[in-house]
Amino acid sequence: MHIIHVSFECGGFDGRLMRGGLSPLVWNLSRAYAARGHRVSVITPAHGLLDALREDFAIEETAHRREHSVPLVLDPKAWPDHPGEVALDVTTRAHRLRLDGVDVYFLSNTQLDLLPDRLYPPPGTAGRDLAHFKPLVFQVDAARFLAELTGDEPAVVHGFEPSYSWLLPPVLGAAPRLRTAVTVAANAPVTQKLYRPQVERLLDLFGVRDAVALDGLDAPPPAEDAATAVMSRALAGTRMHDVYGPDHVGLFPLVTAHADLVDFVSPGQRAYYSTFRDTPMEALFETLPLARQVREQAHKLLVGGCGIAESWLARDPAAVDRAEVLRSLGLDPARPVFYHAARYAVHHKGQLELVRAIEEVLATDPEISFVIRCSTGRGGQQTAGAANAYFQRVADRHPGQVHLDWRLADEDTLFTHAACADFCVYPSKYELDGFLIAQAEAMACGAVPIATAQQVTAHFRHALPLTDRAATGFAVRGSFHDDDPALAGELVARIREAAAVFRHDPGAYARLSAGARRTARGFTWERAADARLAAFDSLLRGEPLRFPDEEAIRYGWFDRLSDAAWREHRALITRVAAERGDLAAYGRVAPLDAAAYERLFEAAYARADFARSTEVARAAGRPDLADQLRERCRVSRAPGGALTVTYRHPLLERVQIVTRAAPETAGSRESAAEALASDEPVPAGSGAAFTALEPVGDGVFRGLVDGPPAGRDLVLMLTLRSGRVAWDTVPVTDPPYRVVATDLDGTLLRSDLTVSERTRRALALVADAGAHHLVVTGRPATACKDFLAGLGYRGLAVCGQGAQLYDATTDRLLESASLDLDLARDVVERAEAVLGTLELGVVTAPPESRFKVTPRFGERVRHGWDVTTDRSLLWASPIDKLVLHHPEVPEDDVAATVAELCGDAVSVVHSVKGMVEVLPPGVTKGAGVARAAALLGFTGADTIAFGDMPNDIPLLAWAGHGVAVANGHPELRRMADETAPGNDEDGVAAVLERLFAPATPAAAPVPVLREEAAHD
């Protein structure tokens, strides 16, 4: 096959073209593919280095010469002093180098030859220098050159890093013989976005704008004072999350939607990007459409892996004269050596904490040596000055213990130093860096790792208990803060522990060293190439990949499992559901007795998953568990108006409240030159900061919040002793419910389809109390938006039985799930084989959203229906749902029959007499409102829901309190927590008045806030 790599850097064969770990990844894969007989091409910028490269390589100029313009549409907020659109006129030439069976094509023009000293534009160019767009120009040139390179032959176009290859999947999506893959190599924030007008302009340029849907890739911003908005602002002050305006589009959703494969360099990296489990991003990620998109397109997620070069593995560490090398560095060979080699990046690589730890360790134990390489600049530089004054001062104070080098070294030097190391230290933070090659190379030489216990590097096994036979080293817990004293303290403890093992238990050290060597040497480029080649071959043969059921279970994606998977993996599902406190999944595979409820509650509570804890406590009928949840946080008013917060949880390590105090910028401890040398953009101020509570007892934290909370509620970030980070929201004021979810027809609306004045007043009470009204309807968005506008409705609405998420404020459809046409036809065939001929209807997909029916559908044809006698016309365009009608069989029986015949392949509901709706799998009102509520920062426990028909059962089941109206279906009334008067008697209003009407002083409840005694 022909494999075409598109990479912004490819310096694995020459350090002048290398800036980081991407270069060896691209080059070693290219060589491995070529060695197996495949045609391999690499497209990369020349970076202004052609003349220098010609001194060592035979580089020929090809016939490719293209004069063209690259349109730049500039965001006026980022580029205030520039015109709205700029055309970069370039003449692009291609040069070829054939090396090791690989064709490397260097694209050269006035833009691509910029920045030869650093390759990548520095962060400071954004908003002032058009060199910032060098990577974008490369993508445009690469896409144009690909058409010439591939011709009519099948090929796999493999881009590296979504930030530098996002244009290729949508542009090449219509090419019949091309398949696209994108490798995520560095863990950039998943919320990165692109300026939408720029994206649209480039899609126009390549003639594919009509084929690329940008709507629905992103969620609307949450309400300004919602917990989700507070989390977002707080995380925007870190390196995990970026916040953009509504005129942007998500980079990762765009790539995931249009690439044929999204490739990851380790199993843990795929798990991280798919779930963000145990990190501060987990809760926020679950509110994004991307989370659902990833689950639905999990078959695209490939673990191609990473490796160590053959040249490295062929070397013998024992052949290195350790004593001579260490003496040449000014170090005593008798001391244990701790080694770190990586590109200089102060914060996300944990280098600041490492140097702080070195300073503290040497203050009490000078008999330890450190070899530290924090390389700056591009490859090939022989000299480099000190990039960080503090780092250099520590090294200068300990000349006999610390060797610090700022140069990017060649493989000979790196191997020599790694072979002398007894330990290697890699404290990556934010899960942003896996040190997948650097740490593996040191381990392959026998260095015992001291590294972060993160998902991305779990395969290195350093986080296993030291007593485990497979253990390779020592772990520090994850960190999500710049200049984190907790991480520095953990590094001090682990370095001291490692030195003690080295000195006093040589057998244990030898076992760990052998395990590190054996583990790392299993990660070869040949293995990584074979994994990708198998996937590429399947793509070219038109066979989609299959996401393993076992991984879906470990991710908690139980909704992806088939009936067969539930049976086959019963034991694993039981274990994982119990560990997560997942009541629904556990109840499907094991009995829910008192012991099970206890186990599920304890697991959820231990993970600080209070939404699930509440769900279990409610299902178990255990008021004692509900009391435990209520008692975890107490808020009281101190003299002067400040809030005193006391938080209790037995497994807590740290509690931080998000406040509105102006945060200290992440780069304030660095000079401008140091920040530039580290290539780490400083997170912009977000208007939110973390205020830590003080530990006052085992698992008890207390503190004052002087300023106002960052939202309407207290939002707290909890760090558990396990390293897991979770969020909690504690109301400062306490309305009975934070979300009121109502069905429309037969529930909120009277029989004449109007909303009474009494109901409008009741909804106003809800708004006045700070709660949200969510419409949850079976109508498609197009059929109810005029009604919502007349009601003065703002915000989100769940439409189409939960298949659609509609933003009434902006009149935008944010999400819409479609029903597969082949599946719909199969449902009809199965149902008619049992029930006889059915009358059919379909709702076509947006933006059309027409209702097409066969002639005898329903008792009468209604205005706006499209009637057809040709059934084939029902399947002429994408559909949202299928609607079935039988003139003789009751709708309850039709629904039961279809559900029995089709199982989990579809969702089956009925809400209107005579009509049974068949929806995409997993689509219910309950699932839809859960997504909407999550965007508002709430859960089912915060919600009261109203309905009238069986399609409302999932809605009422999900809500903390479910209310059926008296005119509702008997099945719904049986499962509801309460039955209200009928819709024509304003039943919804009656319940809301009881709950939300201002209480008289005599009946006022005890407030959440109380005046605290002066002595407390």
Side-chain angles (χ1 to χ4, degrees):
M1 71 181 78
H2 188 188
I3 303 167
I4 304 169
H5 285 163
V6 180
S7 177
F8 194 73
E9 64 171 280
C10 179
F13 61 90
D14 190 292
R16 288 168 292 190
L17 293 166
M18 178 184 292
R19 183 68 177 175
L22 192 61
S23 285
L25 173 66
V26 175
W27 183 244
N28 283 292
L29 282 176
S30 299
R31 293 177 67 247
Y33 296 152
R36 283 158 171 71
H38 298 285
R39 179 185 173 192
V40 183
S41 304
V42 178
I43 302 174
T44 193
H47 296 300
L49 297 170
L50 279 175
D51 289 341
L53 291 170
R54 286 192 182 101
E55 297 174 2
D56 301 300
F57 301 101
I59 297 176
E60 60 180 294
E61 184 169 352
T62 72
H64 179 81
R65 185 180 188 277
R66 179 184 288 270
E67 296 181 4
H68 65 108
S69 291
V70 180
L72 303 181
V73 185
L74 305 182
D75 181 355
K77 293 186 291 295
W79 299 81
D81 300 323
H82 289 72
E85 182 165 339
V86 176
L88 292 178
D89 297 322
V90 295
T91 300
T92 303
R93 292 178 171 84
H95 300 74
R96 186 178 74 169
L97 166 65
R98 186 162 182 80
L99 186 65
D100 293 347
V102 178
D103 289 321
V104 182
Y105 293 92
F106 298 103
L107 301 185
S108 174
N109 61 39
T110 53
Q111 289 294 315
L112 299 184
D113 289 337
L114 295 173
L115 308 170
D117 290 336
R118 59 180 302 128
L119 310 188
Y120 292 86
T125 61
R128 62 179 182 83
D129 187 343
L130 294 181
H132 173 77
F133 292 101
K134 176 183 173 181
L136 185 63
V137 174
F138 170 61
Q139 291 193 64
V140 173
D141 268 309
R144 293 190 181 282
F145 183 64
L146 276 166
E148 177 181 314
L149 185 63
T150 58
D152 293 330
E153 68 171 328
V156 174
V157 178
H158 190 169
F160 288 83
E161 292 294 15
S163 298
Y164 302 107
S165 56
W166 60 263
L167 184 61
L168 300 179
V171 165
L172 302 178
R177 295 178 177 84
L178 298 183
R179 297 293 178 266
T180 57
V182 174
T183 289
V184 182
N187 293 355
V190 76
T191 47
Q192 279 187 325
K193 291 189 178 183
L194 307 162
Y195 186 48
R196 180 165 174 157
Q198 174 71 82
V199 176
E200 292 173 339
R201 186 70 178 84
L202 293 181
L203 296 179
D204 275 333
L205 182 69
F206 286 96
V208 297
R209 182 172 177 182
D210 290 343
V212 178
L214 299 180
D215 289 339
L217 295 179
D218 298 286
E224 181 68 20
D225 59 351
T228 306
V230 174
M231 285 191 286
S232 179
R233 290 197 297 273
L235 290 175
T238 75
R239 299 172 195 275
M240 297 195 71
H241 174 49
D242 295 320
V243 174
Y244 299 82
D247 51 358
H248 285 67
V249 63
L251 184 155
F252 282 91
L254 182 64
V255 169
T256 304
H258 295 283
D260 295 294
L261 285 177
V262 181
D263 173 46
F264 297 96
V265 289
S266 77
Q269 188 198 32
R270 179 173 70 177
Y272 171 73
Y273 262 110
S274 301
T275 66
F276 290 86
R277 184 185 65 224
D278 297 338
T279 74
M281 269 300 296
E282 182 178 12
L284 186 60
F285 178 68
E286 278 301 313
T287 70
L288 305 178
L290 178 60
R292 181 180 179 187
Q293 182 190 41
V294 166
R295 288 196 297 273
E296 291 175 347
Q297 304 196 48
H299 60 280
K300 294 182 178 181
L301 309 182
L302 171 70
V303 178
C306 196
I308 304 176
E310 289 178 354
S311 57
W312 187 282
L313 295 176
R315 298 171 183 260
D316 181 11
V320 175
D321 189 331
R322 182 177 185 273
E324 180 182 347
V325 171
L326 292 176
R327 288 192 188 100
S328 73
L329 301 178
L331 304 176
D332 185 346
R335 299 171 182 159
V337 174
F338 293 79
Y339 169 78
H340 172 87
R343 184 170 58 84
Y344 172 62
V346 180
H347 294 292
H348 83 258
K349 291 183 186 293
Q351 291 170 344
L352 177 59
E353 288 83 357
L354 173 58
V355 175
R356 293 198 190 285
I358 290 171
E359 190 173 32
E360 184 172 343
V361 166
L362 292 178
T364 58
D365 187 353
E367 297 302 311
I368 292 177
S369 296
F370 294 90
V371 176
I372 307 297
R373 306 194 69 91
C374 295
S375 60
T376 61
R378 64 173 172 85
Q381 283 186 293
Q382 297 304 308
T383 60
N388 187 290
Y390 165 65
F391 287 20
Q392 193 63 53
R393 285 198 304 272
V394 172
D396 292 344
R397 284 199 296 269
H398 302 279
Q401 291 88 23
V402 179
H403 173 81
L404 174 62
D405 199 328
W406 299 102
R407 293 169 295 177
L408 183 64
D410 57 23
E411 185 174 290
D412 289 341
T413 301
L414 291 173
F415 183 86
T416 299
H417 291 177
C420 297
D422 302 299
F423 301 92
C424 58
V425 190
Y426 286 101
S428 176
K429 297 175 4 181
Y430 302 102
E431 294 260 2
L432 284 180
D433 203 310
F435 293 118
L436 290 171
I437 296 177
Q439 183 175 330
E441 288 177 341
M443 290 172 62
C445 292
V448 172
I450 301 172
T452 311
Q454 58 185 9
Q455 297 180 60
V456 176
T457 55
H459 59 294
F460 284 147
R461 301 175 181 172
H462 57 274
L464 295 175
L466 290 180
T467 53
D468 193 308
R469 294 177 61 86
T472 63
F474 303 82
V476 295
R477 284 172 293 184
S479 169
F480 304 98
H481 298 276
D482 284 345
D483 196 3
D484 186 354
L487 175 60
E490 287 232 341
L491 285 169
V492 169
R494 295 294 84 72
I495 291 171
R496 286 172 174 165
E497 181 183 6
V501 170
F502 181 83
R503 292 163 174 161
H504 307 301
D505 195 347
Y509 173 80
R511 175 174 60 82
L512 293 172
S513 177
R517 183 183 296 109
R518 183 172 57 253
T519 297
R521 287 179 174 267
F523 300 108
T524 65
W525 289 114
E526 288 71 20
R527 190 169 94 166
D530 287 343
R532 292 179 173 92
L533 286 171
F536 296 165
D537 182 61
S538 294
L539 281 183
L540 292 176
R541 287 188 285 108
E543 299 176 359
L545 301 183
R546 177 180 170 274
F547 191 78
D549 287 336
E550 295 86 347
E551 288 300 293
I553 294 166
R554 293 187 183 98
Y555 291 4
W557 291 353
F558 298 114
D559 57 339
R560 280 191 50 86
L561 301 181
S562 64
D563 289 340
W566 282 94
R567 293 190 297 270
E568 181 181 352
H569 302 291
R570 184 186 185 92
L572 179 60
I573 294 170
T574 303
R575 178 171 63 80
V576 173
E579 290 171 353
R580 291 173 170 269
D582 191 320
L583 179 67
Y586 188 92
R588 184 163 173 175
V589 291
L592 284 169
D593 53 20
Y597 284 126
E598 187 83 27
R599 180 184 182 190
L600 291 166
F601 180 87
E602 289 178 357
Y605 193 82
R607 300 180 74 248
D609 188 340
F610 302 120
R612 280 189 172 155
S613 301
T614 301
E615 181 184 13
V616 174
R618 176 172 174 245
R622 292 279 302 274
D624 58 318
L625 300 181
D627 290 342
Q628 181 179 337
L629 285 164
R630 280 192 294 270
E631 290 297 315
R632 70 183 184 272
C633 186
R634 286 190 171 274
V635 182
S636 56
R637 187 78 69 184
L643 300 179
T644 297
V645 182
T646 303
Y647 202 96
R648 293 176 173 83
H649 191 286
L651 303 178
L652 275 180
E653 179 79 18
R654 181 188 295 180
V655 179
Q656 295 164 289
I657 296 175
V658 184
T659 65
R660 292 183 186 172
E664 181 180 15
T665 59
S668 60
R669 295 180 180 87
E670 300 170 79
S671 68
E674 289 171 343
L676 185 63
S678 73
D679 272 354
E680 287 188 293
V682 177
S686 64
F690 292 104
T691 298
L693 301 185
E694 294 296 324
V696 295
D698 188 22
V700 181
F701 293 77
R702 178 175 291 175
L704 280 177
V705 180
D706 291 325
R712 60 173 168 256
D713 301 323
L714 286 180
V715 177
L716 305 96
M717 191 167 83
L718 314 176
T719 302
L720 304 182
R721 293 171 188 168
S722 65
R724 170 176 164 79
V725 177
W727 293 86
D728 196 6
T729 302
V730 179
V732 177
T733 57
D734 196 11
Y737 294 97
R738 308 310 296 263
V739 177
V740 175
T742 65
D743 171 48
L744 287 180
D745 298 280
T747 305
L748 189 74
L749 306 185
R750 288 185 167 184
S751 297
D752 60 2
L753 302 184
T754 63
V755 179
S756 72
E757 286 303 316
R758 180 184 180 189
T759 297
R760 290 176 183 270
R761 289 194 300 271
L763 293 174
L765 291 174
V766 170
D768 291 344
H772 292 264
H773 176 212
L774 269 182
V775 163
V776 188
T777 176
R779 302 186 191 194
T782 53
C784 63
K785 65 179 184 179
D786 290 341
F787 165 78
L788 294 177
L791 187 62
Y793 187 87
R794 294 291 182 266
L796 301 178
V798 179
C799 303
Q801 304 291 10
Q804 298 176 335
L805 195 59
Y806 169 69
D807 184 356
T809 304
T810 60
D811 188 23
R812 288 179 58 197
L813 187 62
L814 305 174
E815 293 182 18
S816 184
S818 295
L819 180 63
D820 181 79
L821 290 172
D822 290 335
L823 178 58
R825 284 192 289 261
D826 181 60
V827 170
V828 173
E829 183 178 338
R830 291 190 190 191
E832 290 190 331
V834 175
L835 299 169
T837 302
L838 293 162
E839 295 297 322
L840 308 178
V842 297
V843 176
T844 61
E848 183 184 51
S849 296
R850 299 290 297 175
F851 193 24
K852 298 181 178 181
V853 300
T854 53
R856 297 179 60 227
F857 188 94
E859 297 178 357
R860 60 182 176 86
V861 174
R862 299 183 184 179
H863 176 70
W865 291 7
D866 296 339
V867 182
T868 178
T869 57
D870 184 354
R871 281 193 172 200
S872 66
L873 295 179
L874 298 177
W875 324 117
S877 60
I879 64 173
D880 277 355
K881 62 183 173 182
L882 166 69
V883 189
L884 308 176
H885 169 71
H886 198 292
E888 299 173 359
V889 180
E891 62 269 14
D892 286 347
D893 295 341
V894 175
T897 300
V898 175
E900 182 178 354
L901 290 172
C902 299
D904 293 334
V906 294
S907 293
V908 183
V909 301
H910 66 98
S911 59
V912 177
K913 182 174 177 57
M915 296 187 189
V916 172
E917 299 181 36
V918 180
L919 303 158
V923 168
T924 68
K925 283 191 174 184
V929 77
R931 295 195 304 276
L935 286 171
L936 298 172
F938 300 117
T939 67
D942 304 307
T943 304
I944 182 171
F946 297 81
D948 72 313
M949 290 295 285
N951 66 321
D952 295 314
I953 289 175
L955 168 63
L956 269 62
W958 176 82
H961 190 73
V963 182
V965 287
N967 55 288
H969 193 282
E971 188 178 353
L972 183 77
R973 297 201 307 270
R974 281 194 296 271
M975 62 79 60
D977 298 305
E978 176 183 351
T979 299
N983 64 322
D984 287 330
E985 289 74 46
D986 297 333
V988 173
V991 174
L992 296 181
E993 288 165 353
R994 185 186 80 228
L995 294 172
F996 287 90
T1000 62
V1006 177
V1008 172
L1009 297 181
R1010 60 179 174 82
E1011 289 299 322
E1012 190 167 65
H1015 66 274
D1016 192 353

